Amino acid sequence: TVVLVAAALLSCTDAARKTRGELKIDVIEKPESCSVLSGKGDTVGIHYIGSHTSGEVFDSSKSRGPFSFKVGDGKTIPGFDQGVVGMCIGEKRLLTVPPHLGYGEKGHPPTIPPMATLKFEIELVELEKASVFSSGSFGTTYSTAVPLFLLGVAIYYLYHRAQTEEGTRKRPAKAKGGRRR
């Protein structure tokens, strides 16, 4: 029980810091109320200030407007893709991005040297949730299931229509008086 209490205390003192792999995420500011979180497949807009570990700023979106991207699409550095997951609109985080989740061995000359660890102060300012029909296996299931369901309904309708028409067709009348002799 002592170990559990110590672990609980340690996690409470470090509640605002999360680590995914080697990406370090420090929550700077979080809104009191947050009902919608960003996730994979969502389109987000963030403001960021990018700096070297020395503190020298190399880029900022503040003068250009929010940087928008679809989370998990791989069209931005992996540190951004991972760092925005679970954010609320108005939340601010400090991401410490190691080289393999940033610009790697090539860097981004002339402002980012090869194998640079970078810091990004980010704020989520826009969030467009992904449609359930366009994300993950849930969307794949529905995109397959709905047409199959509609096909089943159409077959059922045509079958019963054919049965009804067959029952209403005129049949040859039976001879009166029973059997023929």
Side-chain angles (χ1 to χ4, degrees):
T1 57
V2 172
V3 173
L4 291 175
V5 170
L9 287 174
L10 183 61
S11 69
C12 286
T13 59
D14 202 21
R17 179 178 291 171
K18 301 175 190 172
T19 303
R20 288 193 184 107
E22 293 179 45
L23 176 67
K24 182 177 162 192
I25 302 172
D26 290 306
V27 177
I28 299 170
E29 187 179 313
K30 191 167 189 164
E32 286 184 32
S33 175
C34 177
S35 58
V36 182
L37 299 174
S38 60
K40 187 175 181 185
D42 295 343
T43 300
V44 297
I46 60 169
H47 272 302
Y48 69 89
I49 300 171
S51 62
H52 297 283
T53 52
S54 67
E56 178 189 353
V57 173
F58 61 82
D59 193 18
S60 174
S61 68
K62 297 282 185 175
S63 63
R64 295 188 304 265
F67 170 60
S68 296
F69 62 96
K70 187 173 181 180
V71 180
D73 243 7
K75 297 194 175 167
T76 186
I77 61 170
F80 273 2
D81 267 342
Q82 294 174 21
V84 298
V85 172
M87 286 185 80
C88 304
I89 290 184
E91 183 174 341
K92 293 181 181 181
R93 291 181 176 180
L94 177 64
L95 308 179
T96 304
V97 181
H100 70 279
L101 296 177
Y103 293 95
E105 293 177 4
K106 293 182 180 179
H108 196 274
T111 55
I112 302 170
M115 300 306 291
T117 296
L118 305 170
K119 292 189 175 274
F120 290 94
E121 183 178 316
I122 63 172
E123 177 183 5
L124 184 65
V125 293
E126 298 171 353
L127 174 59
E128 182 182 324
K129 295 299 289 175
S131 164
V132 293
F133 295 107
S134 67
S135 64
S137 61
F138 190 70
T140 304
T141 300
Y142 272 99
S143 66
T144 305
V146 170
L148 288 175
F149 172 75
L150 293 175
L151 179 63
V153 168
I155 291 170
Y156 177 81
Y157 170 77
L158 292 172
Y159 173 77
H160 282 284
R161 182 175 162 195
Q163 293 296 318
T164 305
E165 285 178 6
E166 191 174 297
T168 58
R169 284 190 195 140
K170 293 187 177 182
R171 294 186 184 156
K174 288 185 181 177
K176 289 188 179 180
R179 293 181 163 192
R180 275 193 198 179
R181 295 185 202 185

